[in-house]
Amino acid sequence: MSDVTIFAPSPTLTVTVEDHPQGAEIHVHAGGQGVWQARMLRRLGVTVTMCCVLTGEVGRVLRHLLEDDEGLTVVAVERDGRGSAYVHDRREGRRVAVAEEEGDALGRHVLDDLYGAVLRTGTDSRVVILSGPAGDDALPADIYRRLALDLRGDDRIVVADLSGERLAAVLEGHADVIKVSHEELIADGLAADSSVEALAQAMRELRDRGARTVIVTRAGESLLLLDDEGLVEVSLPRLEEKEHRGAGDSLTAGVVAGLARGDTAREAITLGAAAGAVNVTRHGLGTGDPDAILRLREGVAVRELDDAGSRPAGRVSPDGLAALAEPADEVPTEKEPADEEETR
C-alpha cells in the first residue's frame, strides 16, 4: 500500500544531450507529468504507486528507470508498439528538439486493464492523482470523469492537474482538488483575463461545477486557493529561475504530500508553493532538496482575500499561520538521486 497512487497513462522516455568539457554528455530519464509529480513526492518521503501503460522497447527501459532509479512501485499494462519519447539537445544553452514521439493511442482493451489497475491500487491510498497523458489523442477524456467518480471516498482524496476536456471531465466527476494555471483558464474560456478578480470568478465556477478546492498558479506570481472557507492568496520569496518546466507538477506534489499526511488544503498549499519554487532553480524536473523546501516553506504567507479578490489589510488566515508554525522535521527526507536533465 502506497500513500499516493498516480494515474500516469503514458510516461515519456527522455534523452537529453548536454555540453561537457570533454564532449557531449547524454542523460536518460523517465519523464512526463505523472513522473515529475512522483519524483517530488519521493523527495518529500511519500511512497508512490504509479499506474501506467508501458509500450514496446521504450516501455521496457521506462520500467527500469521508474522502479530502480525513481523508487516507485509500478503497476503497468504492457503492450507492443511505439511509446512516448523525445531526444533534446541543450549543448548550446537552449532546448532543441531532435525527435519527439507521443506514442500510439491506448486501445480499448488496454484502457480497460489500466482502469482496473487504478481502481485496485487507488482504493488503498490516501490520495490519488489524475495526471495527463503524453499526447492529446492518447485516451478519451471521459476516463477522467469515471475515475474521479469511482475513486472518491470519505478516506480518499482525488487530485487532478488537468486542463481542457480533461478538466471538464474531472469536474463532472467531482474531483476533490483541482490545480490549473491561469493561462489554461484563459485558454479554456473560463477566465476573461489574468486579473485576480477574473480568476476568482472562474474558480468559483469550477467549485460550482464539482470541485471542492481549486488552486490556480500565476506564472511566478502569488498562487490563489479557493475552498469552503473562501479565497486566499499564497506568496513566497522569488528565486532565480533556471528551468520553469515542472514547477507546477512539483507544486501539485507538495500539496499532495501535505494532504497525504492529514494537512488541510490551506496547510498543504504552503508545502506545494515551496516545492514549486525550489524546482525552478534546477535543471531537473520534479527535483529539489527536501531541507531547502521545508526552510523555504517558513517564508510562505497565506492571506485572505474578499470575493472581489482584494486583500484585507494585514490579515493572514489561521490555517496559514498554523502551517508556518509546523516543525520542519515532520516531512521525512531521503538521499536525493541524480536529477533528470541536470548537468553534472
Side-chain angles (χ1 to χ4, degrees):
M1 173 181 174
S2 295
D3 301 320
V4 176
T5 291
I6 300 181
F7 173 69
S10 51
T12 299
L13 179 65
T14 74
V15 181
T16 305
V17 186
E18 299 274 7
D19 194 21
H20 189 276
Q22 279 74 49
E25 186 172 22
I26 300 173
H27 301 274
V28 181
H29 296 279
Q33 184 185 43
V35 174
W36 298 326
Q37 292 165 346
R39 183 175 294 143
M40 180 56 76
L41 283 164
R42 293 297 298 128
R43 296 293 195 276
L44 296 172
V46 177
T47 57
V48 179
T49 294
M50 176 172 289
C51 296
C52 59
V53 175
L54 298 179
T55 304
E57 184 176 349
V58 164
R60 290 191 289 274
V61 176
L62 280 170
R63 179 181 284 279
H64 166 74
L65 294 173
L66 293 169
E67 292 180 337
D68 297 341
D69 289 6
E70 304 289 350
L72 308 178
T73 299
V74 177
V75 177
V77 178
E78 298 182 351
R79 62 167 184 168
D80 295 327
R82 298 175 308 140
S84 174
Y86 68 66
V87 179
H88 287 175
D89 189 336
R90 295 202 309 195
R91 283 175 291 181
E92 300 300 323
R94 59 187 180 88
R95 186 181 298 275
V96 177
V98 178
E100 294 181 330
E101 176 55 57
E102 293 181 351
D104 297 329
L106 308 185
R108 177 169 58 87
H109 296 297
V110 170
L111 283 174
D112 285 347
D113 290 343
L114 179 60
Y115 197 92
V118 180
L119 290 184
R120 186 171 63 252
T121 60
T123 52
D124 291 330
S125 294
R126 170 64 175 161
V127 185
V128 177
I129 304 177
L130 303 181
S131 68
D136 289 338
D137 299 326
L139 73 170
D142 190 61
I143 194 171
Y144 290 95
R145 177 191 64 82
R146 294 169 53 210
L147 283 171
L149 282 173
D150 290 344
L151 287 167
R152 288 181 71 243
D154 293 338
D155 297 323
R156 192 178 314 108
I157 301 169
V158 176
V159 177
D161 186 353
L162 303 165
S163 62
E165 292 183 353
R166 292 187 283 271
L167 171 59
V170 293
L171 288 170
E172 191 175 347
H174 300 281
D176 299 288
V177 180
I178 297 292
K179 178 259 171 183
V180 63
S181 72
H182 81 279
E183 296 99 335
E184 291 165 339
L185 287 178
I186 294 171
D188 290 344
L190 296 171
D193 53 51
S194 60
S195 67
V196 174
E197 183 178 8
L199 296 175
Q201 181 177 346
M203 294 168 76
R204 287 191 291 270
E205 179 182 343
L206 295 183
R207 270 182 51 89
D208 290 342
R209 290 171 59 181
R212 182 174 181 180
T213 300
V214 179
I215 299 167
V216 173
T217 59
R218 299 196 297 152
E221 300 297 325
S222 56
L223 315 173
L224 300 175
L225 181 147
L226 181 66
D227 60 8
D228 293 338
E229 300 179 40
L231 182 67
V232 296
E233 176 188 48
V234 183
S235 58
L236 71 165
R238 290 194 180 188
L239 302 178
E240 185 70 21
E241 182 178 299
K242 185 74 172 181
E243 171 64 83
H244 71 278
R245 297 191 320 147
D249 297 319
S250 291
L251 183 146
T252 299
V255 170
V256 168
L259 295 175
R261 64 175 190 168
D263 287 354
T264 67
R266 293 192 180 195
E267 293 166 343
I269 192 64
T270 62
L271 182 60
V278 168
N279 185 87
V280 304
T281 67
R282 308 171 62 85
H283 272 315
L285 278 61
T287 67
D289 176 67
D291 290 333
I293 291 171
L294 291 172
R295 288 188 179 278
L296 190 62
R297 185 187 191 185
E298 297 173 3
V300 176
V302 180
R303 296 183 175 88
E304 295 180 359
L305 302 179
D306 60 24
D307 289 342
S310 298
R311 183 192 304 170
R315 295 189 63 186
V316 180
S317 75
D319 280 335
L321 289 172
L324 298 181
E326 285 185 347
D329 60 1
E330 287 193 13
V331 178
T333 63
E334 60 176 22
K335 183 179 179 181
E336 183 170 341
D339 292 344
E340 176 185 349
E341 302 181 359
E342 181 169 3
T343 302
R344 293 158 177 79

